[in-house]
Amino acid sequence: MDRVSFSTESSAQMPSSQRRSLLKLLAGTPMLPLGGTLAATVLAGCGGGDDSNGAAPASPSTPAATMTSASFVSMAAPDLTTPNAMATCTVGSQLKVSFSDGSSRTFKLGYQPFFLTGDKVPDGNGGTLIAGGIYDINNRPLMDTSVPGKERQFFSDCPDGTSLLTVPNAKVPGVKGNPVFAVVQFEYTDTNLANTDKTDQLWAELPSPIAVLTLDQDPTTGKLSLVKYHNVDTTSVHGLWVTCGASLSPWGTHLSSEEYEPDAFRQGLGGATTVKLDRYSANLYGDASKANPYHYGHIPEVTVNPDGTGSIKKHYCMGRFSHELIQMMPDERTALMGDDATNGGWFMFVADKARDLSSGTLYVAHWTEKFTDTSTAAMQWIKLGSATSAEIEAMINGGIKPTDIMDSVTTDPNDSSYTRIVLNKDNTKCWVRVKPGMEKAAAFLETHRYAALKGGSLALTKSEGVTVNVRDKVAYSVASSIRDSMVVGAAGYVESHNVAFPKRVNAGAILAHDLTGGQKDTAGNAINSDWVPKQSRVLLMGEDIPADLLGNTANPEKIASPDNIKFSEGMRTLFIGEDTTDHVNNFLWAYNVDTKQLSRVLSTPSGAESTGLHAVDSINGWTYIMSNFQHAGDWQSVHSKVKDTLDPIVRKNYNDRFSAAVGYLTATDAAISFRA
């Protein structure tokens, strides 16, 4: 399984005349659709791909057929007849490529990890680092001393957001082919050595590391090999808090996230608890009182340097809420942002300048029509405020406190100057009012409270991933489950939010949002963007079921609790990664938006979440689908029928369940190669 995505070394064995006519699966420009200019030949190799209609490859003198589509052939879900497949990252899917002459080729896919977290990896200077290793604010390794005599550096078992990219004039010692880089962030660490059964006890208590991987891309086969691992210094941004999903900006930077912003009021209303922030601070700074909650809950941006190092900054003007993943639009100014919260919002940021997120305007959506499982509901956007990152950061560094910004109380003050809002899933009572002149601080530092106060539809349940289909001008987002604030009459439901699903669906849904220009906010002011969501509908819905023989409580042939999503313009495919406790194994799915075909592409180890999803249409002519997983063997009630069988295998595969993989999908037995 040592092949790059959709490639093989067999191309090197072909006659030069055939190599010159290798298939270019995707255009060099990611926005260019399939077909048309994509002339080429599919090569058999190492046992060969299957030519489904028997057509022979085109000869150099014969005009090559153009590719018309690429689709995935679904794999079966593993079960206890194949326990090893359930206990590892398994790929049994195929990629089918069709051509204008009626021929097609099918390629088996596999999974290639760069490393398991906890592995020793090269630092590029002749030494090694620990993959996913965790550091304090002074870049000293944080040590797990919970078992005397076995002290070691903490490392994460939760790799998440990943971006694959290139940098002009890159030069890194050890790279023999093309230098390619991956930025990988690590969300959290489950447990320490002393805990024999993971309970997420360390969630949010350790700072999140982020790394730049230098990869050597073989120009002939496209294979990626790890050459250098660089841990990014996060001192200047006060460390990172629970970095989850990520995306690649159109200008080639890694847009990270900080979810579950700590509640500065410490009222327990939708943020991390007081004890978590204090423990995080103690681990990061060596002082439980030093971390300022307002430094966390933002969008960090990582820039990769030509030498394989990286620098980082945080954007404090994009709203402070449970950032999971943002998606920049093609105008390089408009960002759509998910909110991984219950009673969460659908947020938009429009930058003042392209490729510069340091200043702009923040909006929250309000549905003006009832949004249900069957409706198409119109929305409007409420302007929350405009700001620069520098002025918001100055407020934080100047010592602003939550009580300087607004009053927030949990008992009814019987005062009409307060507004009752709902935060978190339990319909928690909260009354708020903004202090005079503090609207800007409220908009950017107490975004959840202020957006609810201003009338935003804070009703979505864990709206995590966001992506965009540029050709059709449609954005996709997830609701990881349809419950609580989304369901009529349930806890946290608010009728005026106009999000009114008729029943709970734990398996969740994918939402689609039509994009357009010429829109005005609720105050009648023009929104300076052509990529503004105007209406929403359900694209895909999961299905809850009574527990089946394996223990699944959601239909295993449909999505459940979607999380990471990414869209490939070239393949016309929406990739969907799961984070569910309703499937015994979480899956990575491919949904073709034209054919409506849903295909299971990959199965993570049982108990693991599918993370790090990144679909890359072309890097130096090669296509990649990045995919990680985290917390293998995180056993829940859904695993009661399989745990005893699978736990010892998972422990053997993944370092007693302390490790997880960072990697990508590959073609294992045949080539789809490319030329410009």
Side-chain angles (χ1 to χ4, degrees), residues 330-355:
D331 64 356
E332 301 184 343
R333 294 175 52 253
T334 306
L336 300 180
M337 301 180 286
D339 181 15
D340 187 2
T342 303
N343 283 103
W346 179 222
F347 292 94
M348 177 176 66
F349 177 79
V350 181
D352 293 332
K353 298 178 182 178
R355 302 190 170 200

Side-chain angles (χ1 to χ4, degrees), residues 317-338:
C317 57
M318 301 184 73
R320 181 177 169 272
F321 49 89
S322 190
H323 284 287
E324 165 90 9
L325 189 157
I326 80 168
Q327 177 65 53
M328 295 303 304
M329 297 295 106
D331 64 356
E332 301 184 343
R333 294 175 52 253
T334 306
L336 300 180
M337 301 180 286

Side-chain angles (χ1 to χ4, degrees), residues 75-119:
M75 63 178 279
D79 58 33
L80 284 177
T81 63
T82 55
N84 288 328
M86 294 188 72
T88 191
C89 188
T90 301
V91 182
S93 54
Q94 299 174 313
L95 178 70
K96 182 178 181 181
V97 183
S98 300
F99 298 93
S100 57
D101 63 0
S103 64
S104 62
R105 301 284 287 182
T106 302
F107 305 90
K108 295 180 181 179
L109 302 179
Y111 183 71
Q112 177 63 49
F114 296 125
F115 53 74
L116 297 183
T117 59
D119 285 353

Side-chain angles (χ1 to χ4, degrees), residues 281-327:
S281 183
N283 284 311
L284 180 64
Y285 290 107
D287 181 343
S289 63
K290 189 169 183 178
N292 184 335
Y294 284 141
H295 278 138
Y296 310 103
H298 303 285
I299 295 292
E301 182 176 16
V302 175
T303 299
V304 177
N305 302 318
D307 64 354
T309 61
S311 61
I312 190 169
K313 56 187 173 184
K314 280 186 187 177
H315 297 294
Y316 296 95
C317 57
M318 301 184 73
R320 181 177 169 272
F321 49 89
S322 190
H323 284 287
E324 165 90 9
L325 189 157
I326 80 168
Q327 177 65 53

Side-chain angles (χ1 to χ4, degrees), residues 364-376:
V364 66
H366 172 75
W367 277 275
T368 57
E369 297 176 330
K370 292 291 183 184
F371 184 20
T372 73
D373 55 340
T374 58
S375 70
T376 296

